[in-house]
């Protein structure tokens, strides 16, 4: 197969007219398909239904009455469960409410209002706060940074995680206060940070004493291919490197049980947990211990979680296989886009030719397929090359996904041909 960038204008125009016919046929189907957000499909939600009808007997866990106020840091058994998931100690875990994003927002909000444990001053008192954003990345991280008025600095992703040469250089600036990281099955590329990247991250020597790694381990147990592979524990890696308070690690059961009705947690040094507990005690008497208890009873331990995740994997794997099959057959042979083939997580990241992401998105929308907005994977929605698109295959049923991928591939071809013809 010939790469399209080596074809003559005449050949490209011929291809364009046949692709346009394909596209018009797609449009004629009147589809309404959504591949925009990383939501579990309803069959995945069904996997946890028994948790809702399970009897909790006495409502007592670890001798604690789960129906009443108290135990701000969370049930001991639930801290232990998350400690096993994250590979940390139970006293390094704080259990929060229904989701982890809220805890991430809270840590940043507290940095602004009160300062973090080692802050010389609350960030709100500073003229400028800068934050490192590995790109492409998770739009909601960037939204948190943007609501607080941070200046976001793009850090390119490599196959091993963020470009650590760039990170090490950037942290010499005392205004650089932190970095967003999704270390396992990154959103959107599905990249797993290498051991060397994790070591270098933990050993950073930032100029800001309160520089904070926001280690969002959202996909910590979310392999859909192969067995669970634990990541090195960032909390102890930071401690070993002499930076015990430099990291907050986040996780939740949103994509294990129920998004919006799961349990969120963070792990950090015992000192940071104590510091945060004091601040959080002003905003709540305690989180939902009944839900914490339900999760503990339902899973028991890490083995229980992993057994459950194998059921998710059985549903997810065929969907990712469809995405990759379509891209392999319909896009790759023409040299018009590249993509990763992740082994876990929720996304496939597609790199179109520069300048083609927005156009592909618009064409897909007109043909009834909603994708995450082009640019969403970059701070302030600005993808400098206009080339990244995030594909989220989990929500549509298999048959719909096939139709959506058919449309998407046609749209990538259309946008690429338009570009090549007009170049
Ligand atoms: N972090 C990442 C990287 C995500 O992709 C998502 C959801 O898509 C979340 C966090 C949201 O997690 P939670 O539901 O625990 O707030």
């Amino acid at each position: 197969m010939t790469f399209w960038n080596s074809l003559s204008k005449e050949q490209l125009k011929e291809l364009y007219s046949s692709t346009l016919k394909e596209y018009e046929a797609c449009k004629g189907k009147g589809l309404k398909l959504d591949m925009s957000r990383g939501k579990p499909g309803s069959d995945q939600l069904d996997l946890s239904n028994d948790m809702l009808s399970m009897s909790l007997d006495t409502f007592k866990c670890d001798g604690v009455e789960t129906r009443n106020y108290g135990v701000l840091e969370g049930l001991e058994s639930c801290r232990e469960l998350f400690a096993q998931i994250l590979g940390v100690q139970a006293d390094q875990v704080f259990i929060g409410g229904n989701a982890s994003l809220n805890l991430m927002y809270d840590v940043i909000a507290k940095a602004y209002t009160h300062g973090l444990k080692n802050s010389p001053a609350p960030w709100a008192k500073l003229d400028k706060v800068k934050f490192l954003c590995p790109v492409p990345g998770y739009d909601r991280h960037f939204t948190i940074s943007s609501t607080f008025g941070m200046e976001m600095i793009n850090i390119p992703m490599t196959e091993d995680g963020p470009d650590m040469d760039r990170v090490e250089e950037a942290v010499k600036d005392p205004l650089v206060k932190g970095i967003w990281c999704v270390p396992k099955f990154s959103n959107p590329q599905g990249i797993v940070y290498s051991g060397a990247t994790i070591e270098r991250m933990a050993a950073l020597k930032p100029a800001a004493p309160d520089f904070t790694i926001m280690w969002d381990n959202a996909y910590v147990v979310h392999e859909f291919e192969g067995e669970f592979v634990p990541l090195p524990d960032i909390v102890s890696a930071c401690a070993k490197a002499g930076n015990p308070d430099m990291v907050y690690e986040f996780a939740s059961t949103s994509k294990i049980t129920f998004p919006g009705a799961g349990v969120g947690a963070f792990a950090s040094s015992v000192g940071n947990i104590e510091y945060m507990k004091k601040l959080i005690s002003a905003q709540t008497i305690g989180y939902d211990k009944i839900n914490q208890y339900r999760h503990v009873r339902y899973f028991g331990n890490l083995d229980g979680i992993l057994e459950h995740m194998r059921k998710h994997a059985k549903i997810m794997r065929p969907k990712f296989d469809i995405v990759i099959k379509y891209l392999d057959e319909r896009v790759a042979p023409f040299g018009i886009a590249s993509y990763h083939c992740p082994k876990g997580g929720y996304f496939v990241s597609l790199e179109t030719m520069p300048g083609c992401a927005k156009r592909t998105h618009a064409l897909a929308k007109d043909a009834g397929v909603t994708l995450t907005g082009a640019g969403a994977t970059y701070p302030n929605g600005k993808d400098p090359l206009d080339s990244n698109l995030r594909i989220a295959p989990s929500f549509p049923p298999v048959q719909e996904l096939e139709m959506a991928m058919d449309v998407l591939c046609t749209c990538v071809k259309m946008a690429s041909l338009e570009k090549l013809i007009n170049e």
Side-chain angles (χ1 to χ4, degrees):
M1 197 63 77
T2 321
F3 277 16
W4 283 357
N5 62 4
S6 63
L7 298 181
S8 69
K9 291 264 161 149
E10 287 318 304
Q11 288 172 310
L12 289 169
K13 281 180 187 162
E14 239 170 71
L15 272 173
Y16 181 78
S17 61
S18 60
T19 310
L20 182 61
K21 275 190 204 129
E22 255 177 60
Y23 179 65
E24 294 299 342
C26 289
K27 265 173 93 171
K29 289 181 190 160
L31 302 174
K32 206 167 174 282
L33 307 170
D34 191 348
M35 286 203 294
S36 67
R37 301 253 30 131
K39 296 198 286 193
S42 57
D43 43 358
Q44 287 180 270
L45 301 176
D46 285 343
L47 295 175
S48 305
N49 283 351
D50 289 348
M51 199 177 78
L52 299 176
S53 52
M54 183 182 66
S55 161
L56 291 179
D57 314 325
T58 67
F59 295 100
K60 280 218 169 121
C61 178
D62 314 323
V64 169
E65 168 58 82
T66 60
R67 295 170 299 179
N68 218 331
Y69 282 138
V71 196
L72 177 63
E73 67 276 18
L75 294 173
E76 202 45 48
S77 299
C78 196
R79 296 175 85 192
E80 175 56 34
L81 181 62
F82 271 91
Q84 289 181 20
I85 292 171
L86 297 173
V88 300
Q89 302 302 311
D91 62 355
Q92 296 172 322
V93 175
F94 180 95
I95 308 289
N98 69 330
S100 61
L101 194 72
N102 183 250
L103 292 170
M104 294 177 223
Y105 181 96
D106 236 3
V107 168
I108 298 293
K110 285 170 178 32
Y112 271 81
T113 52
H114 294 76
L116 298 174
K117 181 166 166 277
N118 301 321
S119 293
W123 297 0
K125 297 253 196 246
L126 307 176
D127 289 337
K128 189 174 260 188
V129 170
K130 301 181 189 173
F131 228 75
L132 306 182
C133 300
V135 288
Y138 178 38
D139 54 348
R140 291 185 191 274
H141 289 161
F142 305 151
T143 303
I144 292 178
S145 281
S146 129
T147 27
F148 284 94
M150 292 177 181
E151 180 182 317
M152 292 179 268
I153 299 173
N154 291 3
I155 299 288
M157 282 290 285
T158 73
E159 294 303 316
D160 289 329
D163 181 334
M164 288 309 295
D165 291 342
R166 299 277 281 267
V167 173
E168 283 164 356
E169 192 53 37
V171 301
K172 291 178 185 164
D173 178 350
L175 297 179
V176 170
K177 292 289 198 180
I179 182 168
W180 291 109
C181 293
V182 182
K184 191 167 170 184
F185 306 130
S186 68
N187 177 347
Q189 291 164 305
I191 287 173
V192 180
Y193 290 16
S194 70
T197 297
I198 295 172
E199 250 175 55
R200 280 175 80 178
M201 194 69 79
L204 284 174
K205 292 286 166 252
D210 52 353
F211 178 89
T212 298
I213 302 170
M214 298 291 283
W215 196 253
D216 178 3
N217 214 344
Y219 300 110
V220 54
V221 287
H222 298 61
E223 274 91 353
F224 53 71
E225 193 184 323
E227 283 301 302
F228 169 65
V229 182
L231 270 194
D233 156 26
I234 186 76
V235 178
S236 53
C238 284
K240 216 185 277 170
N243 293 317
D245 302 327
M246 192 169 69
V247 66
Y248 279 89
E249 177 172 19
F250 302 88
S252 77
T253 66
S254 289
K255 286 166 183 167
I256 299 174
T257 56
F258 305 114
V263 177
F266 66 75
S268 193
S269 66
V270 171
N272 273 348
I273 300 281
E274 285 310 308
Y275 181 82
M276 275 297 157
K277 248 178 79 179
K278 227 175 260 165
L279 293 181
I280 294 171
S281 70
Q283 76 190 79
T284 179
I285 307 173
Y287 294 98
D288 180 351
K289 292 190 299 297
I290 297 177
N291 202 27
Q292 293 173 23
Y293 185 32
R294 258 199 298 260
H295 280 75
V296 167
R297 281 286 297 270
Y298 195 60
F299 294 116
N301 55 26
L302 177 61
D303 286 341
I305 296 267
L306 295 179
E307 195 185 319
H308 189 76
M309 293 314 289
R310 279 182 214 114
K311 297 179 195 159
H312 279 285
K314 271 203 183 129
I315 298 171
M316 291 287 268
R317 173 86 191 265
K319 293 189 177 183
F320 279 79
D321 285 349
I322 287 169
V323 173
I324 300 299
K325 182 189 82 170
Y326 270 84
L327 295 175
D328 280 353
E329 288 173 4
R330 304 269 306 274
V331 170
F334 313 123
I336 50 176
S338 60
Y339 43 91
H340 286 86
C341 303
K343 292 186 160 48
Y346 264 66
F347 305 101
V348 174
S349 177
L350 181 68
E351 289 293 325
T352 65
M353 292 165 65
C356 289
K358 277 200 186 118
R359 180 64 182 145
T360 303
H361 183 275
L363 286 164
K365 191 167 176 223
D366 281 350
V369 174
T370 310
L371 297 165
T372 311
T377 51
Y378 281 76
N380 301 313
K382 287 194 190 123
D383 173 356
L385 291 179
D386 181 29
S387 66
N388 187 252
L389 284 170
R390 188 181 79 164
I391 302 172
S394 57
F395 190 65
V398 165
Q399 209 188 355
E400 286 186 16
L401 180 64
E402 296 241 18
M403 288 193 278
M405 282 309 298
D406 179 38
V407 174
L408 174 61
C409 291
T410 305
C411 296
V412 175
K413 281 161 55 180
M414 285 277 290
S416 309
L417 287 165
E418 285 172 4
K419 181 187 157 100
L420 289 167
I421 288 169
N422 292 320
E423 249 171 9

